[in-house]
Amino acid sequence: MTTDTPSGAPALPDGRPVPRLTGDERAMLESWLDFHRATLALKCAGLDDAQVRIASAEPSELTLLGLVQHLAEVERNWFQRVAAGVEVPPVFEDPTGYALSHGRGLAEALGIWRREIERGRELCAGLPLDHVGRVAEGPVPGMEVSVRWVLIHMIEEYARHNGHADLLRERIDGVTGA
């Protein structure tokens, strides 16, 4: 059974949008990315600032808060820097996003993450799937990628990190699934 999201699109009982299974390629890719973004938000739902700072397992220092911050950086990098060609600094002090600040809690990190998503959407809304952007730095500077590739990569990035989020959430309070 599904419900509807505020936009009128079908939603699962937990509130996540149902990804499109047919239709326009861009709409399908964007709906799958939105599904994975909503899964990350769901993994953080109901947790307090102390809980989202609990690390997965030694020696890893991975936390849910770090994942949210990292994905804000990833959103900025692939949609703003690479696809749209905008020069913007890192969102956080640590350009990976994983390092935690004592003063930043989950609500602030989620707000930043959501702003990065919206800014990327604004910048890329008019770009065709075949539009080519360029990676400026990292292990493959100068590599050219299409908006289509960026969307596919972002789905993969979120799916992988949502697997981490599953394990983190189970460690925090025993909640599993979704």
Side-chain angles (χ1 to χ4, degrees):
M1 174 173 240
T2 61
T3 58
D4 287 333
T5 62
S7 68
L12 298 170
D14 60 22
R16 292 178 297 158
V18 175
R20 290 178 179 235
L21 303 177
T22 61
D24 176 71
E25 178 184 14
R26 185 179 194 124
M28 287 181 71
L29 291 170
E30 289 175 347
S31 76
W32 275 100
L33 182 53
D34 285 341
F35 170 80
H36 284 292
R37 288 168 172 153
T39 299
L40 178 66
L42 181 64
K43 289 296 170 187
C44 297
L47 298 176
D48 63 32
D49 288 344
Q51 290 173 307
V52 295
R53 291 174 175 276
I54 295 173
S56 57
E58 290 185 4
S60 176
E61 296 179 4
L62 184 65
T63 65
L64 272 174
L65 181 57
L67 277 178
V68 171
Q69 293 178 167
H70 171 68
L71 287 162
E73 290 287 1
V74 169
E75 291 276 353
R76 177 173 279 199
N77 183 61
W78 289 107
F79 289 113
Q80 294 180 51
R81 288 189 188 110
V82 175
V86 177
E87 289 187 35
V88 289
V91 180
F92 302 105
E93 305 78 31
D94 167 24
T96 69
Y98 286 120
L100 304 183
S101 164
H102 291 292
R104 186 180 311 106
L106 180 60
E108 181 181 355
L110 286 170
I112 293 166
W113 171 67
R114 288 182 177 111
R115 283 191 297 276
E116 293 304 314
I117 291 168
E118 288 310 310
R119 183 65 179 139
R121 281 184 175 139
E122 290 168 8
L123 290 170
C124 294
L127 299 177
L129 289 175
D130 291 333
H131 172 82
V132 173
R134 185 179 309 275
V135 176
E137 53 190 50
V140 285
M143 179 178 73
E144 292 184 336
V145 296
S146 68
V147 169
R148 176 182 291 104
W149 185 92
V150 170
L151 286 165
I152 292 168
H153 172 66
M154 290 296 288
I155 292 165
E156 173 272 328
E157 180 89 8
Y158 272 92
R160 181 166 37 91
H161 286 313
N162 282 336
H164 300 137
D166 283 339
L167 295 172
L168 284 159
R169 183 64 190 249
E170 185 174 9
R171 176 167 168 71
I172 292 165
D173 65 2
V175 171
T176 60

